[in-house]
Amino acid sequence: MRCSATVWLVGFVSLSSLLTGCGTPVKAFASQEEFGSTATFSRLFDATAAQTCEAARRALLSQGYIINTAREDLVDAQKSFQPEPESHLQMEIRVVCAPDSSDGKVSLGFVTALQDVYALKKSNNSASLGVGALGSVSLPFSSSNDSMVKVSSKTISSEAFYERFFDLVMRYLVVDGPLDESH
């Protein structure tokens, strides 16, 4: 009899916990994506996809970005900033270059910039010492571990930011003409 009462009690507690969890409202967020017809993240270039990505690579290098990936159709780069002693920003820019004409002489550059924000988190550690005859003794030794913890991440959506980037890409865009081998 005692066993069935215990089982019934455990079941009742589990069911009440489940129902309590169901009553907790789930935080709802509005749709973050609007899929508009703006040209914020893309631009047409009178160049091949490879030439557009090379110009994007040079533009990023000129601003101090570290290039992680550089291909004819993709450039991925990052740069770190430290605006305050206890915070760190990391910007990652990805450029995808795709042909936009049948002859491949016009390309479309898609750019996305992601900014991650990190903050310094301190955690204190205390030391205790176990001595066989005395037992465990806590000593006032303490240390602190500092680590950077990501606190936010967002896609940059500023039209002015992308406009400046595309202008810089245009500056580095070198379109190769046909080679004249007779000279």
Side-chain angles (χ1 to χ4, degrees):
M1 173 108 181
R2 190 165 193 10
C3 182
S4 64
T6 304
V7 169
W8 182 85
L9 183 61
V10 169
F12 178 74
V13 170
S14 297
L15 180 61
S16 65
S17 297
L18 180 64
L19 292 175
T20 303
C22 291
T24 304
V26 175
K27 187 167 183 153
F29 293 97
S31 175
Q32 301 297 307
E33 189 59 64
E34 296 178 11
F35 287 109
S37 61
T38 64
T40 301
F41 299 101
S42 63
R43 184 70 42 93
L44 279 172
F45 294 96
D46 289 325
T48 66
Q51 292 165 332
T52 300
C53 269
E54 176 58 20
R57 184 185 72 84
R58 291 174 185 231
L60 291 166
L61 284 171
S62 76
Q63 301 301 303
Y65 281 81
I66 296 170
I67 306 297
N68 297 325
T69 304
R71 300 188 322 227
E72 289 186 356
D73 63 341
L74 172 76
V75 178
D76 189 40
Q78 70 181 25
K79 184 177 179 179
S80 296
F81 305 88
Q82 188 167 0
E84 298 172 354
E86 294 190 2
S87 64
H88 174 81
L89 303 176
Q90 187 167 348
M91 181 80 78
E92 182 177 345
I93 296 182
R94 176 170 288 215
V95 182
V96 176
C97 306
D100 197 57
S101 64
S102 59
D103 63 359
K105 293 184 179 179
V106 175
S107 63
L108 197 52
F110 298 94
V111 181
T112 304
L114 179 69
Q115 178 177 293
D116 294 329
V117 179
Y118 297 85
L120 188 64
K121 181 181 178 188
K122 298 180 183 218
S123 59
N124 293 323
N125 298 326
S126 61
S128 61
L129 178 65
V131 180
L134 299 174
S136 180
V137 177
S138 291
L139 300 174
F141 297 116
S142 67
S143 65
S144 174
N145 289 336
D146 297 343
S147 60
M148 297 301 279
V149 177
K150 185 189 288 190
V151 293
S152 73
S153 184
K154 71 175 183 174
T155 299
I156 304 299
S157 59
S158 165
E159 285 189 43
F161 173 86
Y162 291 102
E163 190 68 36
R164 289 190 307 269
F165 176 76
F166 288 128
D167 289 346
L168 191 57
V169 170
M170 285 296 293
R171 183 172 158 218
Y172 284 96
L173 190 59
V174 178
V175 180
D176 296 329
L179 295 174
D180 185 5
E181 295 181 16
S182 63
H183 295 289

